[in-house]
Amino acid sequence: QVQLVESGGGSVQAGGSLRLSCAGSEFFKSSCMGWFRQAPGKEREGVARIDTIGRTTYVDAVKGRFTISRDNAEAKVYLEMNNLKPDDTAMYYCAARGSGVCPASPHFRDYEFHYWGQGTQVTISS
């Protein structure tokens, strides 16, 4: 069964930290994985992605603050978020491609990911 389930969202104050987790089925052990987010009234945007050998790409807004990682044995992907800001408030989605190769472009396009979780809410207060 192809399934992605996010967890770890919550409400914290600015400057705080959260760790998001995404649990996937066996299928995703060989997939490029990504995290996206969507704030109210805004389009969904990419945050970070990681290929099967650990190469990562981040959107400029989170560089130096967020870290994506994966545990292939457990088919899990994580997003460690530090120094959180109110602008980070959004629903965060885990996504997977049908390929182990992540897109070469530095830009994130949600149509390049084929499987999506239901999302976990992150709320940062000032």
Side-chain angles (χ1 to χ4, degrees):
Q1 183 179 2
V2 177
Q3 189 176 10
L4 293 169
V5 179
E6 304 97 334
S7 62
S11 298
V12 298
Q13 289 189 326
S17 299
L18 284 172
R19 188 191 195 209
L20 306 183
S21 298
C22 173
S25 59
E26 291 280 318
F27 174 83
F28 299 114
K29 290 183 177 181
S30 58
S31 296
C32 166
M33 303 294 294
W35 286 96
F36 287 73
R37 66 186 180 185
Q38 187 168 20
K42 295 187 177 181
E43 292 187 354
R44 187 162 56 188
E45 64 173 354
V47 176
R49 64 187 182 224
I50 184 168
D51 67 11
T52 55
I53 59 173
R55 291 176 296 192
T56 59
T57 304
Y58 297 92
V59 67
D60 286 345
V62 307
K63 284 181 180 177
R65 300 189 298 122
F66 290 13
T67 302
I68 187 171
S69 61
R70 67 189 297 160
D71 181 337
N72 286 337
E74 297 292 329
K76 289 185 177 180
V77 177
Y78 304 98
L79 187 67
E80 185 76 33
M81 306 186 295
N82 297 313
N83 191 21
L84 284 159
K85 304 176 181 180
D87 284 348
D88 295 318
T89 295
M91 184 70 79
Y92 282 71
Y93 298 91
C94 178
R97 276 173 59 84
S99 165
V101 178
C102 285
S105 169
H107 304 293
F108 288 76
R109 301 178 182 89
D110 56 7
Y111 62 78
E112 293 173 328
F113 287 79
H114 310 108
Y115 306 95
W116 294 84
Q118 294 299 306
T120 185
Q121 179 66 39
V122 171
T123 303
I124 312 302
S125 58
S126 58

